[in-house]
Amino acid sequence: MSEGPAFPYQRIRDDLRAEILAGNRTFGEKLPSENALAQRYGTTRPTVRRALALLKAEGLVVAHQGQGMFVRPKPRVRLLISGSNYRTHREAGLPGFDAQVREQGMSPEQRIRDVVTLDPPDEIARRLELDEDAQVVVRRRTFLVDGLPVALCDSYYPADLVADTVIAQPRRIKGGVYAVIEDATGPIRRQVSHGVEDLVCRMPTGEETAELDLMPGVPVVRILRTVYDSEDRPLEVQESIVAADSHEFRYEVRMR
């Protein structure tokens, strides 16, 4: 016979889950001990342990050896994708991700994993409309919020467009890449006009799971963004792998 909601381990799991999701238990907070929970619910430690194992499998708590169970830190980033948002952040000289994370009271960080010149994957070459032998510069970064990884971002640029700029160097760029592209006194001098995004939700690879410190069962969203200039020429293809449990997306589209 299947166990129904009256079983103690389910009540413990449901109560703790509700408290965490409602924000009544803050990220990083230590949960009551197994003994304390067993006493509260009038049950045994193995029953409590079963409830906590389920919460851990859902990615809501983590175990620290010898210390107990803690609410898992899990920042949630709300990203508003709109032309007005882009212009506001460009005028402030801030990358859009950093600006929006700060607006939500959290601390953003972009760590450069690699900057290399290579032959592009076929999909990237098609989107950038490259000749057969053309190469790309790719900037690989990890995006973090409050010190926790939330996204992997690889940005591809035609090598002949950016080869002699800071975009091709493994260093941070003040104001972001678009500031270099649009600099009226710089070598590129092209205006960013619009972008097209394709989103696919899937399960992560083993490497992505490790890089993003994902809990079992958490999917990722692959976002492939192609950015064009004012003459409809592709400037960049950005491939982002984002943790689905750490992001909310909102798109504002002006219909007229």
Side-chain angles (χ1 to χ4, degrees):
M1 183 174 64
S2 63
E3 295 180 332
F7 281 79
Y9 84 91
Q10 291 181 319
R11 292 200 305 273
I12 299 169
R13 175 202 61 188
D14 291 348
D15 287 352
L16 291 175
R17 179 202 285 143
E19 291 174 6
I20 293 170
L21 295 179
N24 295 331
R25 292 191 180 276
T26 59
F27 294 137
E29 178 182 340
K30 184 178 180 179
L31 296 182
S33 68
E34 291 180 4
N35 283 333
L37 288 171
Q39 185 175 7
R40 179 188 303 177
Y41 285 90
T43 188
T44 63
R45 287 183 62 189
T47 297
V48 171
R49 202 170 295 129
R50 184 176 182 183
L52 295 176
L54 291 172
L55 291 173
K56 183 178 179 181
E58 293 176 13
L60 294 175
V61 301
V62 291
H64 295 317
Q65 187 66 33
Q67 300 180 48
M69 285 284 189
F70 295 78
V71 178
R72 183 173 185 251
K74 187 167 57 177
R76 181 168 291 275
V77 185
R78 295 182 299 277
L79 297 178
L80 170 60
I81 313 299
S82 70
S84 60
N85 235 25
Y86 168 78
R87 289 188 294 272
T88 298
H89 298 145
R90 279 289 294 113
E91 290 171 1
L94 293 171
F97 175 83
D98 289 8
Q100 295 201 54
V101 169
R102 288 195 182 111
E103 288 166 1
Q104 294 165 53
M106 296 179 287
S107 299
E109 181 184 354
Q110 297 189 27
R111 292 180 185 169
I112 297 176
R113 306 196 316 276
D114 202 8
V115 178
V116 293
T117 300
L118 45 70
D119 296 329
D122 290 343
E123 183 178 26
I124 302 300
R126 286 195 303 271
R127 287 174 177 265
L128 286 175
E129 300 176 9
L130 298 177
D131 294 333
E132 184 175 349
D133 297 328
Q135 291 191 306
V136 294
V137 170
V138 56
R139 297 178 60 86
R140 306 188 194 277
R141 295 161 293 160
T142 300
F143 288 7
L144 301 96
V145 176
D146 289 344
L148 299 173
V150 297
L152 306 173
C153 181
D154 295 352
S155 295
Y156 297 84
Y157 307 92
D160 60 359
L161 180 72
V162 305
D164 297 324
T165 72
V166 294
I167 297 172
Q169 301 174 16
R171 52 182 283 194
R172 295 182 180 179
I173 300 174
K174 185 177 181 179
V177 166
Y178 295 162
V180 178
I181 291 175
E182 295 189 324
D183 184 356
T185 63
I188 301 177
R189 298 190 299 276
R190 284 161 66 171
Q191 292 296 309
V192 175
S193 173
H194 62 284
V196 177
E197 293 193 357
D198 296 288
L199 284 74
V200 175
C201 187
R202 60 168 172 78
M203 297 308 295
T205 65
E207 182 179 358
E208 291 163 353
T209 297
E211 291 278 356
L212 294 173
D213 191 24
L214 299 174
M215 296 298 292
V218 175
V220 294
V221 180
R222 180 186 187 238
I223 305 170
L224 204 60
R225 174 187 297 167
T226 306
V227 177
Y228 298 86
D229 69 9
S230 55
E231 297 181 13
D232 213 27
R233 296 172 297 180
L235 292 167
E236 173 196 45
V237 173
Q238 186 180 104
E239 179 183 26
S240 299
I241 305 296
V242 309
D245 64 345
S246 299
H247 285 77
E248 297 176 11
F249 296 97
R250 180 179 182 181
Y251 291 84
E252 289 188 0
V253 181
R254 189 176 297 276
M255 306 306 292
R256 292 184 183 274

